[in-house]
Amino acid sequence: MNAIPLNPTTRPRTRLALAIAAALACATTAPVMAQEAATQGQSAQADEEATELGTVVVTANKRVENVREVAAAISVIGERELENIGANSLADYADLVPGMQVQDNGTAGMTSISIRGIAAISSGATVSTYVDEVPVGSSGVYQAANIFNLDLLPYDISRIEVLRGPQGTLYGAGAIGGLLKYVTREPSLSATEFRVGAGLSSVQEGDQGWNVRLGASLPLQQDRLGLRLSYARNEVPGYTDNMVDGERDINGARQTSARAALLWEGESVDVKLAALHQGMESDTSASVALDPATGAPIGGDFEGRSWQPQPFTKDLDLYSLTLDWDLGWGDFVSATGWSNTDTMYQLDASVQFGEFANLQLGLPEAGASHVRYTLDLEKFTQEFRLSSKSGGRFEWQAGVFHSREDAIQSQFVPLMQRDGSPLPAPFDEMFGVLAVIDLPSEYRETALFVNGSLRVGERFKIDAGLRQARNDQWFSQNVPAGVLAPIGDVPGESEEDVSTWSLAPQYQFSEDTMVYARVATGYQPGGPNVALPGMPPSVDSSMLRSAEVGLKTQFADRRVQLDLAAFRIDWDDIQVAAQFNGIGGLINGGEATSEGVELSAFLRPTNRLQLGLNATYTDATVKSDFESTVIPQPGFDVILNTGLAGDRLPYVPKLAWSATAEYLFDIGRVQGQVGAVLRGMGERLNDTTERQRITMPGDASTILDEVLTAPIELDAYHAVDLYAGIEWDHWSVRAYVNNVTDERAWSIISPINSALTGVTDHWSGVPIQPRTFGLEVDYRF
């Protein structure tokens, strides 16, 4: 999160003890195969939308296509898969997508996504997120898009499409790693549908949860006008405790989803109007206090250490209007979107800043503190797109896209006594508020894009695309009160012109076998930077080039399906956080490469048994030392490198895989299935290496001291999920057990350090979900 003043999760980067003089910091810290069985058990409407003659249809390239004929690596997760595993958030199904990793920061809605090694190491997004035709989330660097990705409660979702590799030509800013697209259920125009359901869940050594949901499709005018309504509420059970006050199961959460969609299908014009609300409220994020010397829990297996509450809330309101006009010779699409996102996240910062009370003010003991981040984003997007009809020798597409974002990020940092009471007079008036900082920002982008597909003969096809974009940004660093940052307003602005392109030839050996190559580029917008010593006034865009070759094939009467892809990515001008004792901003660090191989295999030995395997090998490393930042201090300089040549990129395992098995059965009028998912995650590193050199002022050659801080290693793990379900008449019942063996492992680990002394008090680890039981019942009529 760029330009957040205080970084409670920063690891100890130096032994130097500095009083807090300023505080602007960065808080950054298989596919499930697209097979014909993916939609079994869904409603006829869902089958009609997602399949055709056993073929999965995707819209990720902004036209309806058979996923087997697209020259790109695409994964599709259907509604049925999401229901079977009891998915509530991204972290629940990310392991099923090759090359995709999700770091769970402790609750749904606080997630970081990386695809093919393009790690979320700055405050901007590396994966673009869409709901149908509309992008959501910020393209700028001041809304913490890296850790607050859209994490929909996956109800009333027809499917989720994941495109791997840069998607800059069609999706523009922030799609350097790929695209995550939620495709919602459409209203039925011919039949009335109702669905109601409820469920219970229980976490090992934790609390119990429940959920309710309902949905309806109402044809208002036969074959012309339809309305779809849905609502879901999920009470997520907590399972972590707080060793400071003894509270138990404190990380419970509430998710709500409400949606209304109105669809009109005319003779040549279709119009869809939709409104969606997603709400997330968490009492505190899941965290466990770990011993830095051993990595083992200090207390119980699920005990954290915090002196202040750590609530999290996020509310998204999204409105969209899509017009599809059949011109006869082509199609015109207008996609309009408006969204408002309000996020509040509070972190306990007693370890980081509590020592200000005793070390700076001379009070008898350390105090308590927290950092409250409030982020408000209003986003408007408009896309006009003109496409030729599909199926011709030459297909083309041209469009214009405009985005406008108005946002503000605010921080509030109080200081109090350790028990939460105010500081004694006169310190309460003088130092009761350490920082109040507002960071308003604006982001404007306009882009033109064209794509074309040329067929040469019956077997060869080549796709090409080009996008030209311009973004203009403004921001201001406003400090109205506090003692940690200088009072005043410091504005900044930037502008960029960026071109991205793609080229993808493919050859169809037969109806069921295709090979392709794809070369593409993408970018992550830069922007004006915080006003700090050693920080540049603005940070440039990160640029990425990717080369990929792939094979998609089916054989043995289409009972075996195989997707294989190899890729190499060169990432330049990487935006990274440069931090020193609570002082930080963004810089363009340097270069990295990511190379790997992805495998997706699906086997159906019988009509009742299906097996799947997804695996990815990724080698993502820093190519050369990141650019250094010179931070002047009284009497010396600090030369800071936040990544060294050969470092692995954070939270990218070399090997990750999942294996799936499902058996279908019939007993009289009852149809059912039993299934299992085995997930494997290799070891990861939580950060890159940091090097701090202490030199004479203005003399980098005279090194007085050097400190290297190595990243923390997270162990490999594997977990097993089981599920079963039956359906008869209008009823369906599903049961699942996730993490059957109750594997104990970590999604992320962050050191908790004193900002004054640099001493590490403990590590904070977010565990993977413990063993969880669930039972779901639905009635459709």
Side-chain angles (χ1 to χ4, degrees):
M1 188 182 304
N2 191 42
I4 284 185
L6 309 164
N7 187 359
T9 62
T10 298
R11 68 188 189 218
R13 292 295 201 178
T14 181
R15 298 175 184 273
L16 297 174
L18 279 182
I20 301 178
L24 290 168
C26 301
T28 51
T29 38
V32 172
M33 296 296 297
Q35 70 269 13
E36 60 218 73
T39 56
Q40 289 184 7
Q42 294 182 14
S43 67
Q45 175 69 17
D47 286 336
E48 184 176 322
E49 293 171 354
T51 64
E52 179 184 357
L53 299 178
T55 298
V56 170
V57 169
V58 294
T59 57
N61 277 342
K62 299 196 175 183
R63 65 168 68 236
V64 176
E65 297 175 290
N66 177 355
V67 71
R68 309 298 305 161
E69 298 176 358
V70 179
I74 304 178
S75 297
V76 179
I77 304 177
E79 180 182 26
R80 179 169 169 267
E81 283 78 20
L82 296 170
E83 289 182 345
N84 283 341
I85 63 177
N88 295 316
S89 67
L90 280 167
D92 294 329
Y93 55 83
D95 291 343
L96 300 176
V97 179
M100 178 177 173
Q101 280 79 45
V102 169
Q103 290 78 58
D104 181 358
N105 290 278
T107 188
M110 289 178 54
T111 52
S112 300
I113 306 175
S114 62
I115 295 180
R116 288 186 169 176
I118 307 305
I121 57 178
S122 78
S123 55
T126 59
V127 176
S128 183
T129 305
Y130 268 63
V131 177
D132 296 323
E133 291 276 358
V134 175
V136 289
S138 178
S139 298
V141 296
Y142 288 102
Q143 285 290 298
N146 62 322
I147 61 173
F148 293 139
N149 288 278
L150 178 65
D151 195 351
L152 288 185
L153 177 63
Y155 178 69
D156 215 31
I157 301 296
S158 173
R159 63 186 183 274
I160 298 172
E161 301 177 8
V162 180
L163 272 73
R164 302 189 290 282
Q167 301 297 325
T169 304
L170 284 177
Y171 293 97
I176 60 173
L179 170 74
L180 175 67
K181 183 176 184 180
Y182 297 92
V183 181
T184 61
R185 296 285 303 275
E186 289 198 345
S188 173
L189 303 182
S190 58
T192 300
E193 301 173 8
F194 289 96
R195 172 187 176 182
V196 294
L200 299 173
S201 61
S202 178
V203 179
Q204 185 78 16
E205 299 185 23
D207 206 351
Q208 289 76 46
W210 55 269
N211 63 74
V212 294
R213 53 194 173 272
L214 57 91
S217 274
L218 305 171
L220 303 180
Q221 182 179 349
Q222 191 70 13
D223 298 325
R224 286 292 188 190
L225 181 65
L227 174 67
R228 185 168 186 86
L229 303 171
S230 67
Y231 173 81
R233 179 183 175 94
N234 184 36
E235 291 285 334
V236 182
Y239 58 88
T240 60
D241 308 326
N242 187 2
M243 64 178 66
V244 173
D245 57 17
E247 288 192 58
R248 297 180 58 82
D249 304 331
I250 58 176
N251 66 312
R254 289 150 296 284
Q255 297 171 284
T256 57
S257 171
R259 178 174 171 264
L262 188 66
L263 175 64
W264 164 267
E265 288 192 358
E267 295 295 335
S268 60
V269 177
D270 300 339
V271 179
K272 180 180 176 181
L273 176 65
L276 178 146
H277 172 80
Q278 286 274 323
M280 178 68 203
E281 181 181 355
S282 174
D283 300 326
T284 189
S285 57
S287 66
V288 176
L290 307 177
D291 185 339
T294 65
I298 294 174
D301 286 349
F302 297 110
E303 281 195 338
R305 178 186 288 177
S306 61
W307 286 264
Q308 289 285 292
Q310 302 187 92
F312 168 73
T313 62
K314 182 173 182 176
D315 289 286
L316 166 69
D317 292 299
L318 173 64
Y319 302 91
S320 62
L321 174 63
T322 305
L323 180 147
D324 194 333
W325 183 12
D326 186 345
L327 301 172
W329 52 268
D331 294 293
F332 174 79
V333 174
S334 170
T336 307
W338 181 88
S339 62
N340 188 82
T341 308
D342 295 324
T343 306
M344 189 282 292
Y345 180 35
Q346 182 169 298
L347 288 172
D348 174 49
S350 299
V351 169
Q352 294 85 341
F353 307 111
E355 289 181 332
F356 192 92
N358 58 320
L359 297 185
Q360 297 295 312
L361 304 182
L363 296 177
E365 65 175 359
S369 180
H370 64 252
V371 184
R372 182 183 303 153
Y373 307 118
T374 304
L375 302 101
D376 298 317
L377 171 67
E378 183 176 308
K379 180 168 185 169
F380 170 83
T381 62
Q382 176 63 60
E383 180 173 310
F384 296 114
R385 188 170 71 248
L386 187 62
S387 305
S388 66
K389 291 294 184 180
S390 298
R393 184 180 174 215
F394 179 64
E395 299 174 353
W396 54 267
Q397 191 175 88
V400 60
F401 173 84
H402 178 73
S403 176
R404 185 182 72 237
E405 297 180 17
D406 295 290
I408 184 169
Q409 180 194 134
S410 301
Q411 306 105 36
F412 174 69
V413 187
L415 180 66
M416 59 205 81
Q417 298 190 76
R418 185 51 65 96
D419 63 3
S421 61
L423 297 174
F427 298 119
D428 56 342
E429 292 291 334
M430 300 173 61
F431 303 105
V433 175
L434 295 180
V436 175
I437 300 176
D438 294 323
L439 301 172
S441 62
E442 297 176 359
Y443 180 93
R444 305 287 186 267
E445 180 181 7
T446 300
L448 301 174
F449 61 92
V450 292
N451 281 295
S453 298
L454 176 64
R455 297 181 184 273
V456 181
E458 296 295 324
R459 298 181 181 273
F460 184 75
K461 177 183 175 183
I462 186 167
D463 298 334
L466 177 66
R467 188 184 189 99
Q468 180 66 41
R470 177 184 178 87
N471 69 71
D472 295 276
Q473 299 185 61
W474 171 91
F475 115 110
S476 185
Q477 179 178 304
N478 302 337
V479 184
V483 298
L484 300 182
I487 304 297
D489 299 344
V490 182
E493 58 184 19
S494 69
E495 59 183 35
E496 289 183 305
D497 292 292
V498 183
S499 298
T500 54
W501 55 269
S502 64
L503 185 66
Q506 66 184 74
Y507 186 80
Q508 200 81 31
F509 282 98
S510 67
E511 183 181 359
D512 294 324
T513 300
M514 182 259 282
V515 294
Y516 69 90
R518 184 174 186 266
V519 183
T521 65
Y523 84 103
Q524 180 185 39
N529 209 358
V530 294
L532 288 173
M535 295 296 116
S538 63
V539 61
D540 294 334
S541 291
S542 295
M543 301 300 297
L544 183 147
R545 298 179 303 279
S546 171
E548 172 185 349
V549 293
L551 166 71
K552 297 184 179 183
T553 184
Q554 294 175 314
F555 51 92
D557 294 328
R558 295 188 176 181
R559 291 183 179 271
V560 180
Q561 180 173 299
L562 181 69
D563 287 4
L564 184 65
F567 61 88
R568 176 186 169 91
I569 296 172
D570 292 288
W571 192 5
D572 300 331
D573 289 332
I574 303 174
Q575 296 172 16
V576 296
Q579 307 171 14
F580 178 76
N581 281 12
I583 306 173
L586 285 178
I587 64 170
N588 291 107
E591 301 177 353
T593 60
S594 180
E595 300 175 320
V597 179
E598 297 166 347
L599 168 69
S600 295
F602 175 77
L603 170 64
R604 180 180 288 177
T606 72
N607 289 337
R608 296 186 179 274
L609 177 64
Q610 53 195 35
L611 306 172
L613 174 65
N614 307 304
T616 305
Y617 174 84
T618 308
D619 184 14
T621 58
V622 176
K623 192 172 181 180
S624 57
D625 292 356
F626 283 166
E627 292 292 327
S628 59
T629 302
V630 179
I631 304 174
Q633 299 294 312
F636 61 91
D637 287 344
V638 176
I639 300 180
L640 180 66
N641 292 88
T642 57
L644 303 181
D647 282 350
R648 289 171 53 189
L649 291 179
Y651 293 108
V652 178
K654 286 199 170 183
L655 182 64
W657 56 273
S658 65
T660 61
E662 184 174 271
Y663 182 77
L664 310 176
F665 63 87
D666 297 319
I667 303 176
R669 296 169 56 190
V670 176
Q671 298 177 327
Q673 73 277 338
V674 293
V677 180
L678 177 61
R679 300 173 280 127
M681 180 68 68
E683 57 89 16
R684 295 138 292 145
L685 301 176
N686 82 318
D687 212 332
T688 51
T689 303
E690 183 180 276
R691 180 178 64 202
Q692 288 189 11
R693 286 176 172 167
I694 311 303
T695 68
M696 295 295 293
D699 181 10
S701 62
T702 304
I703 301 174
L704 304 178
D705 190 17
E706 181 176 282
V707 177
L708 287 175
T709 304
I712 300 169
E713 181 175 319
L714 286 73
D715 292 337
Y717 69 88
H718 64 271
V720 180
D721 306 327
L722 301 177
Y723 63 87
I726 56 174
E727 299 179 10
W728 75 100
D729 295 332
H730 301 290
W731 291 92
S732 65
V733 179
R734 302 181 304 278
Y736 62 88
V737 184
N738 291 336
N739 193 0
V740 175
T741 60
D742 203 23
E743 179 82 0
R744 303 299 166 88
W746 309 108
S747 178
I748 64 169
I749 294 180
S750 304
I752 305 299
N753 321 308
S754 168
L756 274 73
T757 66
V759 174
T760 302
D761 181 81
H762 65 279
W763 292 347
S764 176
V766 175
I768 66 170
Q769 183 85 3
R771 183 188 296 122
T772 302
F773 302 87
L775 179 66
E776 306 286 336
V777 179
D778 281 283
Y779 182 74
R780 293 177 171 88
F781 58 98

